Amino acid sequence: MKVKSLQDIALMQEGGKILASIVKEIEGKVVPGVTTKELDKFAESLFQKYGKPSFKGYNGFPGSICTSVNEEIVHGVPSNRVIVSGDILSIDAGLFYKGFHTDMATTVAVGNIDSEVNRLIRATKKALKRGIKKLRPGITVGDVGNTIERYVDSQGFCVVEGLCGHGIGRKLHEAPDILNFGSRNKGEVLPEGLVICIEPMLSMGGSAIDYCDNQITIKTSDNSISAHFEHTIAITSNGCRVLTE
Ligand code: MG
């Protein structure tokens, strides 16, 4: 685990604020009729002003942002797919700024969506909030995962398997893995100065996942709807600080 100095965290907070504003601007463009490629192009123009999109070229990813629609969970490749009313779109974005990455995701409803899907979005956002609330030096990865898992269970949804959050810093993905399930007091102890990404990914159906035909985008095996929220958070002496808002 790579612990960050206060100066490092200050730089990451600068980057995180910029990233949050970029994501907000992209959100404003999510309307029925837009394609995910158009959203990516808009995102690219925003990133150019401030730094580099962390995802572009990462493991061969072709876009500046991930745009995952409905049953797609993460790594949605921007395409000519047209967003229509009733869809939900997860936007995942990372910014490389002054030597550090920050990473965040949000899920937005397009037009009128099913009330149960709306409940899924709210539960995913709340699961992230619950995980964040738990953070302070000395708790374990299992404490965070357990908090998220229990909340998700209580809402009648499930956490998808095989995907998780991570440490972050000079590299986009650093140790440790931050699972969305777990047992209290188990797993790595999180120290002050660690910066992590918590990212619950929930499904309305089963937890199994599959690759889409492009071999990059990951979707639910049973094609049930999925939502995703993520923040980059620093663990501080008195608790934690969300860097991407
Ligand atoms: Mg991430």
Side-chain angles (χ1 to χ4, degrees):
M1 283 187 231
K2 290 197 161 59
V3 167
K4 276 76 188 169
S5 68
L6 289 174
Q7 292 94 316
D8 293 343
I9 291 172
L11 286 177
M12 292 183 79
Q13 180 144 36
E14 257 182 61
K17 271 187 181 159
I18 294 168
L19 179 61
S21 72
I22 289 174
V23 170
K24 188 134 207 131
E25 283 205 59
I26 300 166
E27 270 184 66
K29 299 281 180 190
V30 181
V31 290
V34 74
T35 68
T36 52
K37 203 176 234 173
E38 285 165 348
L39 293 172
D40 184 59
K41 216 168 170 193
F42 177 65
E44 176 90 50
S45 70
L46 297 175
F47 277 113
Q48 271 171 3
K49 286 191 223 168
Y50 303 107
K52 269 179 34 194
S54 301
F55 300 166
K56 187 133 197 169
Y58 189 81
N59 291 334
F61 190 79
S64 291
I65 54 172
C66 298
T67 52
S68 306
V69 186
N70 298 339
E71 74 283 0
E72 296 171 352
I73 306 163
V74 285
H75 309 164
V77 176
S79 72
N80 293 322
R81 180 168 182 167
V82 178
I83 303 293
V84 299
S85 180
D87 282 344
I88 65 169
L89 173 72
S90 299
I91 301 165
D92 193 351
L95 175 70
F96 186 67
Y97 175 84
K98 296 189 178 173
F100 291 94
H101 295 275
T102 47
D103 186 2
M104 70 176 286
T106 187
T107 299
V108 290
V110 186
N112 293 320
I113 63 163
D114 185 88
S115 64
E116 191 63 4
V117 177
N118 197 30
R119 202 170 70 79
L120 173 80
I121 294 177
R122 278 186 286 123
T124 310
K125 192 172 187 175
K126 188 88 178 271
L128 171 58
K129 215 172 179 179
R130 291 273 176 115
I132 291 170
K133 227 175 145 189
K134 197 89 196 161
L135 289 180
R136 56 181 166 70
I139 68 151
T140 68
V141 167
D143 291 329
V144 177
N146 184 264
T147 299
I148 292 172
E149 183 182 25
R150 277 186 299 117
Y151 174 71
V152 173
D153 281 352
S154 78
Q155 298 303 301
F157 298 121
C158 77
V159 160
V160 301
E161 64 187 25
L163 295 165
C164 63
H166 49 92
I168 187 167
R170 294 198 180 274
K171 290 195 176 141
L172 180 59
H173 294 119
E174 296 183 354
D177 285 345
I178 306 293
L179 305 176
N180 292 314
F181 59 89
S183 304
R184 278 182 214 167
N185 302 317
K186 293 277 159 62
E188 292 97 327
V189 174
L190 303 178
E192 180 183 342
L194 192 71
V195 182
I196 61 170
C197 293
I198 300 182
E199 46 182 321
M201 291 156 269
L202 271 56
S203 156
M204 281 176 73
S207 61
I209 62 170
D210 266 324
Y211 279 102
C212 294
D213 291 341
N214 64 22
Q215 299 303 314
I216 297 175
T217 305
I218 295 174
K219 69 171 192 70
T220 53
S221 292
D222 59 7
N223 291 318
S224 56
I225 304 291
S226 169
H228 178 206
F229 280 84
E230 175 181 19
H231 271 307
T232 298
I233 311 126
I235 298 171
T236 58
S237 57
N238 54 352
C240 71
R241 197 188 312 154
V242 177
L243 305 181
T244 42
E245 59 183 16

